[in-house]
């Protein structure tokens, strides 16, 4: 055990606090989805505006992550963590009490902004708290399980709260969770101060955050408007140009928002690429299966949420019981590539679903394989991407990894939805008009099947990237040596 770990007897309680905060942020990405119809009816929200309940959160979260990571480096990880928790609680209470759509949209944007401060500080606190390889593997196993499985759990919690209380509790529930984490932070987290005397890279903030906001907005609008719409093409082009200018500026800035030295290590760069591809391939599953369970199999909201639980259970088992035990003596690229191949196999099983499929023999095996594969992958990705990062850059590195995950989720959902929609239309035209419920369901399931095959291809590409780029050494050798 390293001296750093030995000197911190409260480190496992600190992990519980960090995990609680991380779970809250991940849950909030999906917990509102099932509650959205109820919120729309209660607030008189037009159909054209309802997407902003989701988009306002993802725009602020994805666009401000780099800024949030650098704030954590400058003011201190614990201080940024506390600020993020407190702000997230206030924004959640504001959203739960919303009397109109505008207040709800603003509250969701505030949630995303404070989550952008909270998430990088949580991951960087984990990185600096656990330095012993075996303890680090266990801690990142828990973190990876929450990061991957929280989205599925959010659907279940959202369904339960909406059905048995009301939609407002999907936001109010964050307040007691955040308060508990705030108390725990004061008691158990060690204050690792940031770089005193540093300054914020304002041009980097404008270029980087502006580019990310433009990209996330363009991806979110591609679904309802189509890729050829100027409301999609213009933001995507602007996002690419702004991010290109951001990279150029980071080479020249004295105190860059995202130090590019973070990506010089091949294993770390490979872990980032693996995470991006994994989230692109994974996040379409939740969208398609939500429609499949409710529109094809006729499941109510709570049963739909329960049906997703095997994915979360598989991720927890894969991350905490398999990857965390194997990582101290297994090369990380082996776990990443194996996990991606396993998840791709699950996608292939899901591609065989029909309108008459039954849950246990036909759906469950694919969900378990996807969950186990993602758990095997996420845990070593988080550990490899953050090991060896200089202490003053841990917030920026954590923010960059979360940004890759957020952008991958947005891009994957839009791309796979476009593929599925196109395949559904072609099936309907080839088999005549869908003038019955069965014909429409068959066309929809065919579209999902095509998208699942594409997901499998993306996950196999992620396996190849991990195998070729992440070094053969143990995790403790995966990055450069930590600096003080």
């Amino acid at each position: 055990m390293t001296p750093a770990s030995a000197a911190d007897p409260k480190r496992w309680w600190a992990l519980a606090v960090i995990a609680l905060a991380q779970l809250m942020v991940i849950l909030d990405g999906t917990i509102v989805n099932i509650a959205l119809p109820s919120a729309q009816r209660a607030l008189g929200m037009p159909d054209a505006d309802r997407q902003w309940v989701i988009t306002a959160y993802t725009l602020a979260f994805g666009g401000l992550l780099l800024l949030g990571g650098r704030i954590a480096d400058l003011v201190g990880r614990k201080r940024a963590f506390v600020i993020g928790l407190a702000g997230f609680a206030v924004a959640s209470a504001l959203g739960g009490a919303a009397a109109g759509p505008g207040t709800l949209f603003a509250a969701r944007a505030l949630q995303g902004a404070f989550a952008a401060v909270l998430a990088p500080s949580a991951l960087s606190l984990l990185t600096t708290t656990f330095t012993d390889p075996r303890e680090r593997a266990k801690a990142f196993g828990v973190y990876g399980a929450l990061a991957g499985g929280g989205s599925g759990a959010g659907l279940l919690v959202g369904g339960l709260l909406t059905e048995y209380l009301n939609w407002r509790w999907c936001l109010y529930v964050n307040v007691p969770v955040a308060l508990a984490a705030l108390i725990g932070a004061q008691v158990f987290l060690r204050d690792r101060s940031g770089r005193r005397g540093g300054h914020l890279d304002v041009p980097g903030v404008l270029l980087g955050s502006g580019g990310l906001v433009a990209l996330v907005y363009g991806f979110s609008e591609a679904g309802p408007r189509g890729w050829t719409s100027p409301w999609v093409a213009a933001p995507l082009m602007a996002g690419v140009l702004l991010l290109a200018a951001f990279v150029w500026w980071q080479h020249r800035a004295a105190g860059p928002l995202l130090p590019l030295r973070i990506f010089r290590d091949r294993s770390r760069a490979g872990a980032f690429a693996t995470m991006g591809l994994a989230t692109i391939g994974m996040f379409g599953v939740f969208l398609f299966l939500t429609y499949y369970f409710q529109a094809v199999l006729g499941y109510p909201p709570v049963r739909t949420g329960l049906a997703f639980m095997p994915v979360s259970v598989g991720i927890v088992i894969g991350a905490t019981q398999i990857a965390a035990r194997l990582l101290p003596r297994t090369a990380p690229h082996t776990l990443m590539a194996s996990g991606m191949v396993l998840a791709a196999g699950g996608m292939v099983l899901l591609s065989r679903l029909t309108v008459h499929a039954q849950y246990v023999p036909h759906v469950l095996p694919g969900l378990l394989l996807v969950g186990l594969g993602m758990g095997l992958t996420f845990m070593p990705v988080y550990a490899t991407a953050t090991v060896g990062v200089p202490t003053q850059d841990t917030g920026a590195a954590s923010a960059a990894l979360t940004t890759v995950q957020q952008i991958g989720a947005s891009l994957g959902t839009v791309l796979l939805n476009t593929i599925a929609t196109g395949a559904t239309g072609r099936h309907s035209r080839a088999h005549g008009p869908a003038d019955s419920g069965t014909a429409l369901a068959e066309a929809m399931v065919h579209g999902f099947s095509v998208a699942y095959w594409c997901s499998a291809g993306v996950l196999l590409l992620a396996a190849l990237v991990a195998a070729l780029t992440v070094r053969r050494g143990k995790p403790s050798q995966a990055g450069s040596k930590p600096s003080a």
Side-chain angles (χ1 to χ4, degrees):
M1 184 178 296
T2 63
S5 290
D8 187 7
K10 298 179 180 179
R11 61 192 178 281
W12 295 109
W13 285 105
L15 172 62
V17 173
I18 294 168
L20 185 63
Q22 175 66 11
L23 180 61
M24 182 181 66
V25 172
I26 296 297
L27 284 175
D28 231 67
T30 56
I31 194 173
V32 178
N33 290 23
I34 291 179
L36 187 54
S38 300
Q40 184 179 359
R41 289 191 299 270
L43 299 180
M45 193 184 306
D47 287 347
D49 293 342
R50 64 186 176 189
Q51 66 166 323
W52 282 102
V53 177
I54 308 299
T55 305
Y57 181 82
T58 57
L59 271 179
F61 187 26
L64 298 176
L65 272 166
L66 293 180
L67 175 60
R70 194 36 113 192
I71 288 175
D73 286 334
L74 294 178
V75 306
R77 263 70 72 183
K78 179 179 176 180
R79 185 177 298 174
F81 185 82
V82 169
I83 292 171
L85 276 174
F88 200 92
V90 171
S92 298
L94 178 64
T103 304
L104 181 58
F105 300 156
R108 290 288 286 168
L110 277 177
Q111 278 186 308
F114 283 107
V117 177
L118 178 58
S121 60
L123 182 53
S124 58
L125 278 168
L126 195 68
T127 301
T128 55
T129 299
F130 292 91
T131 55
D132 176 78
R134 290 187 179 276
E135 291 191 350
R136 184 182 177 87
K138 293 178 183 178
F140 276 93
V142 173
Y143 191 90
L146 293 176
S151 297
L155 295 172
L156 173 60
V157 175
L160 289 170
L161 291 175
T162 302
E163 189 161 326
Y164 294 110
L165 293 172
N166 62 56
W167 67 270
R168 295 181 184 276
W169 277 97
C170 291
L171 294 161
Y172 283 144
V173 71
N174 293 320
V175 177
V177 174
L179 289 177
L182 277 170
I183 295 172
Q186 298 300 329
V187 176
F188 299 117
L189 293 184
R190 293 180 62 186
D191 190 5
R192 300 198 175 235
S193 59
R195 291 184 301 168
R196 302 306 178 190
H199 67 279
L200 194 62
D201 175 19
V202 176
V205 169
L206 296 176
L207 293 172
S209 297
L212 289 172
V213 167
L215 278 186
V216 174
Y217 177 80
F219 290 147
S220 66
E221 292 294 299
R225 296 181 184 271
W227 290 99
T228 58
S229 168
W231 291 97
V232 175
L236 290 179
M237 186 177 299
V240 171
L241 292 175
L242 285 171
L243 290 179
F246 171 75
V247 172
W248 171 84
W249 173 252
Q250 296 307 284
H251 279 291
R252 290 155 177 78
L257 181 67
L258 179 63
L260 298 181
R261 57 181 174 270
I262 291 172
F263 302 100
R264 290 175 185 166
D265 181 84
R266 192 183 74 180
S267 290
R268 187 174 299 118
F272 274 83
T274 301
M275 173 61 83
L277 291 170
T279 50
I280 287 174
M282 174 189 177
F283 271 80
V285 173
F286 295 110
L287 175 66
F288 302 141
L289 284 179
T290 298
Y291 281 107
Y292 181 77
F293 289 143
Q294 297 192 42
V296 178
L297 301 184
Y299 287 8
V302 172
R303 189 177 179 185
T304 297
L306 285 171
F308 278 109
M309 288 310 294
V311 178
S312 299
V313 171
I315 291 175
V316 170
I317 293 173
T320 63
Q321 301 304 309
I322 301 177
R325 295 174 185 269
L326 293 178
L327 187 60
R329 57 181 181 271
T330 305
H333 79 279
T334 301
L335 296 177
M336 294 180 201
S338 299
M340 288 291 90
V341 171
L342 203 62
M347 293 293 182
V348 172
L349 290 181
L350 292 176
S351 73
R352 300 168 64 87
L353 295 179
T354 68
V355 295
H356 304 294
Q358 296 179 349
Y359 181 80
V360 173
H362 303 122
V363 182
L364 182 59
L367 293 182
L368 287 174
L369 283 180
V370 170
L372 285 171
M374 290 298 171
L376 277 173
T377 301
F378 284 152
M379 185 270 165
V381 162
Y382 279 113
T384 304
T386 55
V387 71
V389 177
T391 302
Q392 69 269 20
D393 294 333
T394 54
S398 302
L401 184 60
T402 310
T403 299
V404 168
Q405 187 176 6
Q406 185 72 17
I407 295 297
S410 300
L411 177 58
T413 300
V414 172
L415 287 177
L416 293 172
N417 187 52
T418 301
I419 291 170
T421 302
T424 297
R426 290 190 296 272
H427 185 277
S428 296
R429 291 190 295 270
H431 294 81
D435 53 2
S436 69
T438 301
L440 179 60
E442 288 177 347
M444 185 185 302
V445 171
H446 171 75
F448 296 164
S449 177
V450 173
Y452 288 137
W453 276 107
C454 293
S455 291
V458 173
L459 296 178
L460 289 176
L461 178 60
L464 182 63
V465 168
L468 295 178
T469 60
V470 179
R471 294 173 183 169
R472 303 293 198 253
K474 298 294 194 320
S476 58
Q477 301 168 329
S480 56
K481 295 180 181 180
S483 61

